């Protein structure tokens, strides 16, 4: 018994001292035990809290796929695998919302930000975990509520969730201020943050100005911040750090495009910790694929695609980008040619 104990103890020591083996074991665990294990020692806390570990764990826990809505009246969802795991289908409908017609606004590391319309200008938002079929009603965003707070209406509602940092999530609402505070080209706004930990809202920062182009768009969550791209010529982009509650701008991108005047933002999203933007010049069938530098000092033009060179016909106005990411020295572009849309 003693020799077996020593052997087992020796093996544990070897694994504990081999950071690569130790990390691979931790990557196989679910979020709940990892949050507990962060308190075991400084070494365990350092490994589990490392941003690279968090990204790898998120990619393993949430298989790499694109979610597409196939019906609008009674929403159903399909998943397009991007890494060969075609059997992974976390859910097909959101039928556990009973009689409500639910639309998905945004997804973030396994959670969904959803909403249902009651009538014009009034809607209810929910945060949903489709794996457990649990959801929480966050707030009813209506004109009466906005008026009580001194606002006009919500311009953007976004979800921020990092499961390995905390089991709690935050919802960020960008409120539109009364019209007299706005300008002909920019809207006066203020941010309000909901915390699931305290089940309460609080205002964050002062009044600032945003372009009309971000209306009704959720921010793109990446590396602890939400990002909004201003598709107008003003390029009044927004980056909001969740933990620091710090709002900054982002560098312009139009100078890198095939045509600055005739191009539109077709796609803006995150993949594996990188922000990507795709701009299209419809008249020329040219798509520019840009990537934000990791230090946020500018954009890099990664690829330029002429869809007329595709080996199959592309109908004008029927081509839409779902997802883009680098694959080695090349890239993968996921598109569709009909009505389904990316959520």
């Amino acid at each position: 018994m003693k020799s077996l104990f020593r052997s087992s103890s020796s093996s544990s020591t070897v694994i504990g001292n081999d950071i690569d083996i130790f990390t691979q074991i931790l990557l196989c665990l679910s979020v709940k035990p990892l949050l507990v294990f962060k308190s075991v020692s400084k070494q365990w806390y350092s490994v589990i809290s490392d941003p690279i570990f968090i990204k790898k764990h998120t990619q393993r826990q949430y298989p790499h796929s694109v979610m597409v809505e196939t019906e609008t009246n009674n929403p159903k969802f399909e998943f397009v695998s991007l890494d060969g795991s075609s059997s992974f289908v976390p859910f097909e409908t959101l039928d556990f919302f009973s009689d409500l017609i639910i639309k998905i606004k945004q997804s973030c590391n396994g959670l969904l930000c959803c909403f249902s319309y009651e009538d014009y200008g009034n809607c209810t938002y929910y945060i949903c975990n489709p794996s457990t079929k649990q959801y929480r009603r966050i707030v009813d965003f209506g004109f009466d509520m906005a008026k009580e707070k001194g606002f006009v209406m919500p311009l953007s509602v976004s979800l921020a969730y990092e499961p390995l940092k905390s089991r709690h999530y935050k919802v960020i609402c960008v409120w539109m201020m009364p019209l007299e505070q706005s300008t002909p080209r920019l809207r006066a706004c203020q941010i309000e943050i909901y915390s699931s930990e305290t089940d309460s809202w609080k205002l964050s920062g002062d009044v600032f100005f945003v372009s009309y182009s971000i209306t009704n768009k959720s921010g793109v969550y990446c590396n602890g911040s939400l990002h909004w791209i201003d598709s107008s010529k003003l390029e009044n982009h927004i980056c909001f750090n969740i933990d620091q509650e710090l709002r900054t701008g982002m560098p312009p991108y139009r100078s890198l495009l095939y045509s600055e005047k005739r191009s539109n933002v077709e796609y803006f999203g995150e993949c594996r910790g990188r922000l990507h933007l795709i701009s299209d010049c419809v008249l020329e069938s040219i798509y520019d694929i840009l990537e934000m530098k990791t230090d946020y000092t500018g954009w890099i033009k990664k690829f330029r695609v002429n869809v007329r060179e595709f080996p199959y016909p592309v109908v004008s106005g029927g081509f839409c980008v779902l997802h883009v990411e680098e694959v080695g020295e090349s890239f993968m572009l996921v598109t569709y040619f009909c009505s389904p849309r990316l959520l």
Side-chain angles (χ1 to χ4, degrees):
M1 292 296 293
K2 289 184 178 180
S3 61
L4 289 175
F5 178 80
R6 288 188 187 123
S7 176
S8 176
S9 177
S10 176
S11 299
S12 300
T13 302
V14 170
I15 294 174
N17 291 333
D18 190 319
I19 193 66
D20 292 331
I21 297 177
F22 179 60
T23 300
Q24 290 303 314
I25 293 174
L26 292 180
L27 285 172
C28 296
L29 301 179
S30 62
V31 171
K32 190 173 182 179
L34 285 177
L35 292 176
V36 175
F37 291 159
K38 289 174 72 173
S39 61
V40 170
S41 68
K42 291 183 178 179
Q43 182 192 30
W44 286 46
Y45 179 88
S46 176
V47 172
I48 297 172
S49 301
D50 184 79
I52 296 177
F53 176 85
I54 292 175
K55 290 179 183 178
K56 289 182 177 179
H57 187 270
T58 300
Q59 292 165 11
R60 181 171 293 196
Q61 293 294 311
Y62 305 103
H64 203 31
S65 60
V66 172
M67 180 170 61
V68 180
E69 182 180 304
T70 59
E71 297 182 23
T72 55
N73 293 330
N74 186 21
K76 293 185 179 180
F77 307 95
E78 292 184 0
F79 290 81
V80 180
S81 174
L82 301 178
D83 57 9
S85 56
S86 57
S87 61
F88 176 76
V89 181
F91 62 93
E92 296 180 349
T93 66
L94 299 178
D95 53 0
F96 50 89
F97 275 97
S98 301
D99 296 331
L100 295 174
I101 301 299
I102 294 294
K103 296 289 186 179
I104 299 176
K105 192 72 173 176
Q106 177 199 7
S107 63
C108 186
N109 292 327
L111 293 186
L112 302 177
C113 179
C114 309
F115 70 97
S116 65
Y117 274 114
E118 297 176 5
D119 53 51
Y120 177 74
N122 294 277
C123 61
T124 302
Y125 275 81
Y126 305 84
I127 301 301
C128 162
N129 186 334
S131 300
T132 62
K133 296 188 176 182
Q134 294 177 321
Y135 62 91
R136 174 183 288 187
R137 182 172 179 158
I138 299 300
V139 72
D140 299 321
F141 286 114
F143 289 131
D144 292 339
M145 174 187 174
K147 188 175 181 180
E148 290 177 5
K149 290 174 172 283
F151 305 124
V152 177
M153 61 182 291
L155 289 181
S156 173
V157 179
S158 308
L159 170 65
Y161 176 56
E162 284 280 7
L164 282 185
K165 289 185 177 179
S166 172
R167 61 188 179 89
H168 300 288
Y169 57 84
K170 292 182 178 180
V171 178
I172 287 76
C173 178
V174 180
W175 285 100
M176 178 181 174
M177 303 296 290
L179 293 175
E180 57 267 21
Q181 298 186 38
S182 299
T183 71
R185 304 183 71 183
L186 295 171
R187 286 175 169 166
C189 299
Q190 190 166 19
I191 288 176
E192 191 175 24
I193 302 176
Y194 171 84
S195 169
S196 65
E197 184 174 11
T198 61
D199 190 25
S200 62
W201 289 85
K202 72 168 185 176
L203 290 175
S204 174
D206 300 324
V207 174
F208 62 101
F209 294 87
V210 301
S211 167
Y212 283 65
S213 70
I214 78 160
T215 301
N216 204 33
K217 295 179 181 179
S218 292
V220 173
Y221 185 73
C222 180
N223 299 324
S225 297
L226 283 165
H227 307 78
W228 290 266
I229 282 291
D230 176 5
S231 58
S232 74
K233 295 179 181 179
L234 296 176
E235 293 205 60
N236 186 31
H237 314 307
I238 302 171
C239 173
F240 181 71
N241 183 285
I242 308 299
D243 292 335
Q244 299 177 18
E245 297 187 23
L246 178 64
R247 177 178 48 82
T248 58
M250 289 187 288
Y253 65 88
R254 286 189 170 270
S255 62
L256 298 175
L257 303 182
Y258 178 80
S259 173
E260 292 187 47
K261 295 182 179 180
R262 294 181 295 174
S263 295
N264 302 305
V265 175
E266 173 65 32
Y267 169 89
F268 178 54
E270 177 272 346
C271 181
R272 304 187 188 278
R274 296 292 184 91
L275 290 171
H276 295 98
L277 181 150
I278 300 180
S279 182
D280 69 308
C281 181
V282 178
L283 297 178
E284 302 293 336
S285 299
I286 300 294
Y287 284 74
D288 287 308
I289 302 175
L290 311 181
E291 181 179 280
M292 176 72 78
K293 294 181 180 179
T294 55
D295 59 3
Y296 281 59
T297 57
W299 295 87
I300 303 171
K301 185 174 68 176
K302 303 294 291 187
F303 305 99
R304 176 166 288 167
V305 181
N306 187 341
V307 298
R308 292 176 180 173
E309 299 176 356
F310 281 14
Y312 43 82
V314 177
V315 180
S316 177
F319 176 82
C320 185
V321 177
L322 293 179
H323 175 79
V324 63
E325 69 174 289
E326 289 187 66
V327 181
E329 296 182 357
S330 185
F331 73 100
M332 175 169 60
L333 195 66
V334 183
T335 64
Y336 69 70
F337 299 90
C338 52
S339 59
R341 63 186 179 85
L342 177 67
L343 298 170

